[in-house]
């Protein structure tokens, strides 16, 4: 009788642990960066022969990947590109945009070192963290929770192991 | 009567809890007054260094030690960074203290803090000799840190992870050389902090800090070299104090690299360490005379 | 009398709350500490109060376990004083932390970031041991109180006392290890655990004596113990003086000389004198702890003095609050004679006691193995300090579960078990996931790449800025330009040579035809380097 109660309590503990852990886990973040300019990664990707670095100039070599400035967009968009109906709307949106339409807050706190280049250098593609262009268009953010960093660095995500000592990434 | 007493007790409980909760509020989240390299007045920092150097702290004892080598904790590690301070060249000018403050965004302290000796300087002049964390190979501070915020890193520096620090100050109580500094003041809110170096984070009130062996320079150099696919030995890295020393008395380098300026500098010299930390395998040593 | 003391306690809680508020909002800067004395008055007050708590357990659990009869008369006040003193003691280390809200980092559980507590640190040992000590002391008191109306609970007292007996010695040993494991020579000494335990018992005896006098009970054994204690602790003080040169006239005066007045019959028969002499012993131990933690005196602030008010206020209101509450429940707190409580009708079956201990061992072993699996570098020996409190905690919980399960109906039992399970699960999950890190400074903003002071590598720059149209090899990116743009002019060594790098750099910076101006995004040096790189891509002899 008492045994059942204790077993029930332990079962409740386990269930509560799992449910609470699930509830406390922050959901993967989805939030489109800028809704003013209708930008689609899917349209600008490999199908027209562009690499991520053409807009994100630091993505393969730098610490920060960077965002394109308006001037970078206008390199191509100063000419009417197609006769599609949406293009007028795009042109006006671009004309109205500020010099740096995609300014975001870094996902990393100031004591964390993250270098895009070194990860690309280690053979990790942009998609491994950021997802496909379609997912990015839906507003998916790269997972930058410390547990994700550590899981990959411990070799649990299919990439080679990397350092896990604190001073590797924290300063 | 009985009812009113109960209400009084309840009221007291609420008051007590409210005050305690009020105390827990996080003042450091308020936007502080942080100067940057452009608008900070370096003269204030210079004045504080002069002020702190005027305290004339007692000199440390030195004992001869062997040249630091590989650490038992990390077999197979190719780098161990450290420094040697040549006491025959040191002219006790204190430039290293200022350079360290500007490199690592070390905040000044308020007048009250200064009167209580709560300077944050990672380098201190003790008897005219610059003393900083010795980056012990087997550091006593790391053993007692309850959360692992003070932790050994394979390539030399004894690291300090600010976001993991709860401020128990056990590490400092167990530091034989007393070179750890505790953030007693909310320097951002008091306008005493400046972000001279955007590479280094500002620390919040209640965390411990200490000489990091300019870990940001090591990390940046490592990333730079690894991007070109090279074998990283930290050949071009120099700590801020070493770069700023007008007498070239502070040599930074890699103990495990025979070509490193550090290994060359200690050749044929008498190698000493602070007596207090000598048995913990320090990476920062002092040079005196010839052998 | 009790009401008056309770009211005084509550009144003292008002300034105490102010002290706590100052201490929490201004942080450790508000009391006497500097960059070479990092542990201040909160630590010494913590050691003092945990010592006072200790004696309560001594008189209830240890004397009960060893079947010392006279201990039963004062067991109740002693137990209440333990339960009142541990929270007071626990306030101090929490306030002492630089960032008190991060105290949960000390839970010896795994967290999702794979960060574990450093089981090598005495602070973690303390956290576990004091947590277990407090929980078990509360249960012990509750069992005692319940046994007044339900004699069957009396059977649990002795097995429980045998759990608390070693635990309380363990706790104070760990407190002494906070100091003994450091490199500070002033805190060294293999005798430190014994010294701390003796000191704790000595101050605790004095406290219990005072509390009994408040109950209008005179226990001569306590006076004898106080005198004996003063002679037992004296050698330690002499030893401290001989080894480390610690010289504390105040402590000797209050802690040793004054209690000797108890030899005089007329003094010992005066109630006020007994209380005063006991108080002098308590004061001496407080001074001794203070001097031990902070050998170098610093200028005190109001917060340092405020800890006294805080300690007294919280202790008085908790002790007399509980005391009055028990009185209201018709629990005889201080009985002149032995009651039925102390003679349980039948003993607990040995099997269930053994089961409790085995459960403690099993759970602790599972936890240690799990920890060792996650942190292989942690030496086995480091688990010993936490292992015993963990065993005791689980064993005590199992015993109390057995005791309390008889109190309630089947439905309530199931509900309570389920509720406890859910609360424990949610708490564990919360600690496992951890809170968000609170950031000191706003995070950096990322926008477009600024032109750096040092020129960037021309090949990398070409790949990011030019290759979209001109192609990685300078041979045009057909896929892109065919669809949208007029084709850029093809590179040829002759053409580039005829233009020259200067005019090419000018085109790069200011644009021409369909070529967009890059000024502001590329520096002049970089443009020049790019022109050279174009020439390299075009190949051929110059």
């Amino acid at each position: 009788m008492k045994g059942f109660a204790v077993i029930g309590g332990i079962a409740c503990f386990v269930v509560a642990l799992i449910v609470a852990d699930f509830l406390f886990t922050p959901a993967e973040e989805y939030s489109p960066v800028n809704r003013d300019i209708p930008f689609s990664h899917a349209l600008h990707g490999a199908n027209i022969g562009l690499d991520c670095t053409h807009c994100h100039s630091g993505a393969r070599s730098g610490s920060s990947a960077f965002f394109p400035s308006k001037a970078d967009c206008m390199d191509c968009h100063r000419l009417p590109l197609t006769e599609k109906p949406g293009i007028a709307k795009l042109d006006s949106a671009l004309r109205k945009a500020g010099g740096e339409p995609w300014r975001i807050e870094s996902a990393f706190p100031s004591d964390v070192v993250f270098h895009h280049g070194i990860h690309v250098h280690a053979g990790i593609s942009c998609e491994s963290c950021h997802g496909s262009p379609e997912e990015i268009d839906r507003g998916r953010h790269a997972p930058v929770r410390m547990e994700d960093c550590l899981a990959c660095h411990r070799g649990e995500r299919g990439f080679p192991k990397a350092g896990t000592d604190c001073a590797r990434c924290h300063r | 009567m009985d009812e009113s007493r109960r209400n009084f007790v309840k009221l007291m409980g609420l008051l007590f809890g409210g005050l305690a909760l009020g105390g827990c509020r996080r003042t450091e989240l308020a936007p502080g007054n942080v100067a940057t390299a452009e608008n900070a007045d370096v003269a204030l920092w210079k004045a504080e260094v002069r002020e702190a150097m005027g305290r004339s702290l007692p000199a440390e004892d030195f004992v001869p030690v062997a040249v630091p080598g590989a650490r038992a904790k990390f077999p197979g590690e190719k780098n161990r960074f450290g420094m040697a301070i040549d006491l025959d060249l040191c002219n006790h000018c204190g430039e290293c203290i200022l350079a360290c403050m500007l490199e690592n965004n070390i905040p000044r302290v308020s007048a009250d803090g200064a009167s209580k000796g709560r300077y944050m300087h990672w380098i201190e002049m003790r008897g005219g000799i610059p003393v900083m964390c010795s980056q012990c190979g087997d550091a006593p501070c790391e053993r007692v840190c309850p959360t692992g915020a003070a932790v050994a890193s394979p390539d030399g520096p004894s690291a300090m992870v600010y976001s993991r620090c709860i401020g128990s100050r056990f590490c400092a109580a167990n530091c034989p050389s007393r070179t750890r500094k505790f953030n007693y003041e909310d320097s951002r809110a008091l306008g005493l902090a400046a972000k001279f170096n955007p590479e280094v984070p500002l620390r919040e009130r209640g965390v411990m800090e200490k000489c990091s062996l300019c870990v940001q320079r090591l990390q940046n150099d490592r990333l730079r070299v690894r991007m070109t696919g090279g074998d990283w030995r930290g050949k071009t890295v120099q700590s801020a104090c070493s770069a700023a020393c007008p007498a070239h008395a502070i040599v930074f380098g890699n103990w495990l690299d025979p070509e490193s300026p550090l290994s060359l500098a200690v050749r044929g010299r008498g190698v000493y360490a602070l007596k207090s930390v000598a048995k913990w395998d320090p990476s920062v040593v002092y040079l005196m005379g010839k052998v | 009398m009790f009401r008056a003391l309770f009211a005084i306690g509550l009144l003292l809680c008002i300034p105490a709350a102010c002290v706590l508020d100052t201490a929490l909002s201004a942080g450790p800067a508000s009391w006497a500490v500097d960059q070479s004395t990092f542990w201040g008055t909160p630590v010494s007050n913590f050691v003092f109060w945990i010592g006072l708590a200790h004696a309560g357990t001594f008189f209830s659990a240890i004397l009960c376990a060893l079947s010392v009869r006279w201990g039963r008369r004062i067991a109740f006040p002693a137990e209440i004083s333990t339960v009142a003193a541990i929270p007071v003691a626990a306030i101090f280390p929490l306030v002492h932390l630089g960032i008190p809200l991060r105290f949960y980092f000390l839970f010896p559980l795994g967290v999702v970031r794979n960060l574990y507590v450093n089981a090598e640190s005495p602070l973690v040992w303390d956290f576990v041991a004091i947590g277990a000590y407090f929980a078990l002391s509360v249960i012990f008191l509750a069992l005692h109180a319940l046994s007044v109306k339900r004699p069957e609970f009396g059977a649990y007292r002795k097995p429980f006392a045998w759990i608390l007996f070693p635990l309380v010695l363990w706790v104070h040993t760990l407190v002494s290890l906070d100091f003994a494991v450091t490199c500070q020579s002033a805190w060294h000494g293999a005798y430190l655990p014994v010294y701390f335990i003796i000191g704790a018992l000595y101050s605790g005896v004095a406290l219990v004596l005072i509390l009994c006098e408040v109950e209008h009970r005179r226990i001569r054994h306590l006076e004898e113990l106080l005198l004996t204690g003063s002679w037992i602790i004296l050698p330690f003080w002499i030893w401290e003086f001989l080894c480390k040169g610690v010289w504390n006239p105040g402590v000797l005066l209050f802690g040793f000389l004054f209690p000797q007045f108890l030899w005089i019959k007329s003094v010992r028969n005066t109630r006020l004198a007994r209380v005063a002499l006991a108080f002098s012993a308590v004061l001496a131990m407080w001074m001794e702890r203070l001097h031990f933690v902070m050998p170098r005196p610093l200028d005190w602030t109001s917060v340092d003095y405020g800890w006294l008010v805080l300690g007294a206020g919280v202790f008085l209101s908790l002790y007399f609050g509980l005391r009055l509450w028990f009185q209201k429940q018709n629990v005889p707190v201080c009985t002149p004679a032995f009651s039925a409580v102390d003679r349980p009708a039948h003993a607990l079956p040995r099997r269930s006691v053994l089961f409790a201990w085995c459960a403690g061992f099993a759970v602790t072993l599972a936890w240690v193995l799990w920890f060792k699996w996650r942190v292989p570098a942690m030496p086995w020996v480091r688990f010993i300090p936490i292992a015993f409190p963990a065993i005791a905690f689980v064993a005590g919980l199992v015993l109390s579960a057995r005791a309390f399960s008889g109190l309630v109906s089947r439905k309530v039992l199931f509900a309570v078990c389920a509720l406890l399970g859910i609360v424990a699960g949610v708490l564990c999950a919360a600690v496992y996931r951890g809170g968000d890190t609170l950031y000191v400074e706003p995070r950096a903003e990322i926008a477009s790449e600024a032109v750096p002071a040092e020129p960037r590598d021309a090949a990398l720059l070409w790949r990011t800025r030019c290759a979209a149209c001109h192609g990685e090899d300078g041979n045009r990116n057909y896929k892109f330009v065919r669809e949208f743009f007029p084709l850029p002019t093809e590179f040829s060594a002759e053409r580039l040579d005829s233009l020259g790098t200067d005019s090419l750099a000018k085109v790069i910076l200011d644009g021409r035809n369909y070529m967009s101006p890059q000024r502001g995004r590329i520096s002049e040096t970089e443009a020049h380097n790019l022109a050279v790189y174009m020439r390299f891509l075009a190949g051929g002899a110059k």
Side-chain angles (χ1 to χ4, degrees):
Chain A
M1 178 51 233
K2 270 179 208 164
F4 282 127
V6 170
I7 291 167
I10 292 172
C12 281
F13 170 77
V14 173
V15 171
L17 185 71
I18 293 166
V19 171
D21 182 48
F22 177 75
L23 291 177
F24 289 150
T25 307
E28 220 162 58
E29 275 182 67
Y30 277 86
S31 64
V33 172
N34 186 336
R35 291 173 190 281
D36 298 341
I37 301 174
F39 178 83
S40 157
H41 283 87
L43 280 181
H44 286 78
N47 61 333
I48 58 163
L50 285 183
D51 183 68
C52 305
T53 27
H54 294 314
C55 298
H56 300 288
S57 53
R60 291 187 192 279
S61 54
S63 161
S64 167
F66 296 117
F67 283 85
S69 65
K70 183 178 171 184
D72 293 333
C73 303
M74 296 310 276
D75 277 352
C76 304
H77 282 278
R78 65 202 172 117
L79 300 170
L81 294 177
T82 58
E83 272 75 51
K84 282 189 183 150
I87 206 78
K89 192 180 152 206
L90 172 73
D91 282 346
S92 79
L94 266 179
R95 228 172 293 123
K96 271 187 274 171
E100 287 183 347
W102 287 285
R103 182 178 273 276
I104 64 154
E105 198 181 51
S106 166
F108 294 100
S110 54
D111 69 322
V112 173
V113 187
F114 180 83
H115 196 278
H116 272 90
I118 204 83
H119 289 86
V120 173
H121 192 76
I124 297 159
S125 66
C126 304
E127 286 81 11
S128 323
C129 300
H130 293 277
S132 66
E134 289 76 19
E135 280 183 291
I136 299 171
D137 285 333
R138 267 184 276 134
R140 180 176 189 256
H141 289 207
V144 287
R145 290 168 305 183
M146 189 172 152
E147 52 264 39
D148 293 305
C149 301
L150 269 172
C152 201
H153 273 232
R154 284 198 303 267
E156 291 167 10
R157 301 267 164 100
F159 292 106
K161 275 189 186 179
T164 49
D165 55 289
C166 304
R168 190 62 65 101
C169 307
H170 288 271
R171 50 172 59 156
Chain B
M1 176 60 208
D2 207 38
E3 191 61 28
S4 70
R5 195 174 66 223
R6 201 165 298 152
N7 284 339
F8 174 72
V9 172
K10 273 180 197 160
L11 190 71
M12 288 314 304
L14 278 179
L15 183 71
F16 190 77
L19 282 173
L21 279 179
C24 291
R25 68 189 180 264
R26 302 189 56 91
T27 41
E28 56 269 26
L29 286 183
N33 175 14
V34 179
T36 56
E38 287 77 44
N39 58 22
D41 186 2
V42 183
L44 293 172
W45 269 260
K46 278 185 185 154
E48 195 192 78
V49 171
R50 264 201 307 279
E51 192 182 292
M53 282 175 65
R55 284 184 299 165
S56 69
L57 301 171
E60 292 275 335
D61 291 336
F62 291 92
V63 289
V65 287
V67 175
R71 289 198 294 171
K73 259 188 204 172
F74 301 102
E77 177 61 40
K78 275 188 279 182
N79 302 313
R80 180 183 183 183
F81 295 96
M83 290 197 285
I85 298 152
D86 195 329
L87 296 186
D88 298 342
L89 293 177
C90 175
N91 58 13
H92 326 295
C93 63
E95 284 295 319
C96 48
I97 305 179
L98 183 68
C100 173
M101 291 186 87
L102 302 189
E103 169 73 16
N104 293 300
N105 299 332
I106 297 174
R108 289 179 294 127
V109 291
S110 63
D112 179 52
S115 71
K116 288 173 178 161
R118 291 172 183 167
Y119 292 106
M120 298 303 300
H121 306 166
W122 290 359
I123 308 177
E124 264 177 358
M125 286 294 177
R126 298 192 187 160
I129 291 166
V131 173
M132 70 283 276
C133 169
S134 292
Q135 318 288 351
C136 304
D138 183 17
C141 53
E142 291 161 8
R143 293 180 167 210
V144 295
C145 174
T147 59
V151 67
S153 48
D155 48 15
S158 170
M160 188 63 222
V161 188
Y162 307 123
S163 48
R164 187 83 189 130
C165 179
I166 60 172
S168 74
R169 313 199 275 295
F170 211 145
C171 54
N174 201 24
C175 174
S177 63
R178 299 265 175 217
T179 42
R180 286 182 159 263
K181 304 287 162 185
F182 185 71
N183 280 282
Y184 283 109
E185 291 173 345
D186 191 350
S187 47
R188 291 176 71 240
L190 294 173
L192 298 166
K195 190 127 180 159
F196 291 106
N197 185 356
E199 299 268 318
V200 177
L202 294 172
R203 279 77 66 181
E204 63 196 294
R205 191 190 81 194
V207 303
M208 191 55 78
E209 61 184 66
K210 65 166 195 85
C211 166
S212 66
L213 217 56
C214 286
V215 66
Q216 65 279 3
R217 294 188 175 206
L218 286 168
Q219 285 167 337
N220 289 349
D221 188 64
R222 188 179 162 281
L223 288 166
R224 189 182 60 77
V225 172
R226 284 285 163 83
M227 276 300 287
T228 56
D231 184 24
W232 181 58
R233 305 304 297 272
K235 283 185 198 300
T236 56
V237 188
Q238 228 189 351
S239 64
C241 53
S242 158
C245 180
H248 305 289
I250 306 181
V251 188
F252 183 93
N254 186 347
W255 287 118
L256 304 186
D257 179 7
E259 311 282 291
S260 139
L262 186 60
S263 307
L264 299 175
V266 297
R267 218 162 275 172
R269 301 295 307 276
V271 180
Y272 295 81
L274 297 180
K275 189 185 173 197
S276 50
V277 296
K279 68 171 170 179
W280 307 106
D281 184 20
S283 307
V284 175
V285 297
Y286 293 81
L287 305 179
M288 274 185 277
K290 302 215 178 292
V291 199
Chain C
M1 181 72 174
F2 302 131
R3 292 216 171 132
L5 284 166
F6 180 53
I8 291 173
L10 282 183
L11 278 178
L12 284 178
C13 277
I14 299 170
C18 297
V19 169
L20 204 59
D21 183 55
T22 316
L24 286 172
S25 56
S30 58
W31 59 86
V33 268
D34 62 15
Q35 298 290 25
S36 53
T37 303
F38 291 91
W39 282 359
T41 39
V43 177
S44 67
N45 278 294
F46 158 70
V47 178
F48 170 74
W49 280 101
I50 200 78
L52 287 186
H54 196 119
T57 315
F58 174 77
F59 286 116
S60 52
I62 299 183
L63 297 188
C64 170
L66 299 176
S67 307
V68 178
R69 288 169 60 89
W70 65 267
R72 294 171 188 173
R73 278 189 287 165
I74 53 169
F76 235 122
E79 275 164 39
I80 302 176
S81 82
T82 299
V83 170
I86 299 176
V88 181
I91 291 173
F92 290 111
L94 291 179
V95 176
H96 163 85
L97 293 183
I99 304 177
L101 282 182
R102 290 188 184 165
F103 80 96
Y104 73 92
F105 284 11
L106 289 171
F107 274 99
L109 299 167
V111 294
V112 65
R113 291 164 186 173
N114 218 31
L115 299 168
Y116 295 85
V117 291
N118 179 10
E120 214 168 323
S121 169
L123 210 66
V124 174
W125 306 343
D126 272 356
F127 186 74
V128 177
I130 292 175
Y133 180 38
F134 180 57
L136 295 186
S137 297
V138 171
I139 296 171
F140 192 56
L141 176 64
L143 284 174
H144 196 180
L146 282 169
S147 65
V148 173
K149 278 176 200 155
R150 293 162 167 268
E152 69 266 25
F153 278 98
Y156 287 94
R157 269 179 63 73
K158 206 151 180 185
F160 223 90
W162 274 109
I163 296 175
L164 272 173
F165 180 2
L167 181 66
V168 70
L169 301 182
W170 200 279
V171 167
H172 226 70
T173 303
L174 293 188
V175 171
S176 78
L177 289 185
D178 278 350
F179 301 94
V181 300
T182 63
C183 312
Q184 307 302 326
S185 56
W187 290 342
H188 276 179
Y191 62 95
L192 229 61
V194 185
Y195 176 40
F196 267 55
I197 291 171
I198 297 292
L201 284 181
Y202 182 47
S203 59
V205 169
L207 177 74
V208 174
L209 196 151
I210 297 172
L211 293 177
C212 285
E213 293 294 345
V214 174
E215 306 275 352
H216 292 278
R217 295 272 173 273
R218 182 179 173 195
I219 317 266
R220 283 167 204 274
H221 286 294
L222 287 177
E223 288 150 37
E224 286 159 16
L225 267 182
L226 195 67
L227 259 182
T228 322
S230 72
W231 282 94
I232 294 177
I233 197 142
L234 183 67
F236 286 99
W237 286 337
I238 295 173
W239 185 250
E240 286 260 292
F241 173 67
L242 291 178
C243 293
K244 301 171 190 165
V246 176
W247 173 241
N248 253 327
V251 171
L252 282 178
L253 188 70
F254 288 110
F256 179 72
L257 283 181
F258 281 177
Q260 304 313 313
F261 282 109
L262 285 172
W263 290 111
I264 305 164
K265 197 171 182 184
S266 60
V267 172
R268 127 174 131 236
N269 284 340
T270 317
R271 186 158 167 252
L272 199 64
R274 289 196 302 268
V275 173
L277 291 180
F279 190 76
S280 125
V282 172
L283 182 69
M285 287 319 294
W286 182 84
M287 285 160 66
E288 196 272 337
R289 301 313 196 195
L290 177 72
H291 196 265
F292 184 83
V293 174
M294 298 172 76
R296 198 168 60 87
L298 294 172
D299 289 337
W300 273 25
T301 67
S302 54
V303 172
D304 289 290
Y305 295 104
W307 300 136
L308 293 170
V309 181
L310 178 77
V314 177
F315 179 79
L316 285 180
S317 38
L318 273 179
Y319 178 84
F320 289 103
L322 278 171
R323 170 77 187 72
L324 288 170
W325 187 73
F326 278 125
Q327 196 176 348
K328 215 172 172 187
Q329 308 294 318
N330 294 323
V331 175
V333 170
C334 210
T335 43
F338 301 127
S339 61
V341 174
D342 302 310
R343 296 191 208 90
H346 51 87
L348 206 62
R350 190 168 289 171
R351 202 162 46 93
S352 47
V353 178
L354 200 66
F355 174 76
W357 279 99
C358 287
F361 270 110
V363 171
T364 308
L365 187 69
W367 169 73
V368 167
L369 286 176
W370 178 78
F371 200 104
K372 179 75 184 170
W373 171 55
R374 299 307 301 184
V375 192
M378 192 57 66
W380 288 105
V381 65
R382 304 288 182 202
F383 291 109
I384 295 173
I386 330 182
F388 181 73
I391 293 170
F393 181 63
V394 176
L397 282 190
V398 171
L399 267 188
S400 61
R402 203 190 130 85
F404 291 117
S405 63
L407 265 184
V408 291
S409 70
R410 200 199 316 184
K411 264 186 196 162
V412 176
L413 180 65
F414 269 97
V416 167
C417 274
L419 196 70
L420 285 178
I422 289 170
V423 169
V426 170
L427 279 179
C428 284
V431 171
Y432 176 73
R433 276 289 153 195
D436 277 344
T437 309
L438 296 163
Y439 298 117
V440 188
E441 45 188 325
R443 287 179 277 181
E445 283 214 324
I446 301 175
S448 56
E449 191 172 7
V451 179
E454 292 277 304
R456 286 162 285 187
D457 182 56
L460 280 175
L461 206 54
W462 176 268
R463 223 173 291 152
T464 56
R465 297 270 173 196
C466 318
C469 302
H470 293 279
E472 292 233 347
D473 53 357
N475 208 9
R476 300 183 291 206
N477 181 5
Y478 276 98
K479 195 170 179 189
F480 181 58
V481 289
R482 267 239 193 95
E483 201 167 335
F484 299 110
F485 266 80
L487 284 182
T489 322
E490 200 168 345
F491 287 0
S492 73
E494 295 79 43
R495 211 178 112 73
L496 292 180
D497 281 341
S498 74
L499 287 167
T501 44
D502 284 346
S503 71
L504 281 173
K506 202 171 168 319
V507 170
I508 292 169
L509 288 170
D510 299 331
R512 212 189 77 176
N513 293 344
Y514 293 116
M515 169 76 196
S516 313
Q518 299 291 319
R519 196 180 288 281
R521 289 177 274 170
I522 286 177
S523 73
E524 289 193 7
T525 326
E526 285 171 338
H528 202 85
N529 293 351
L530 275 174
V532 175
Y533 186 71
M534 282 162 67
R535 180 67 190 78
F536 162 77
L537 287 175
K542 184 166 186 177

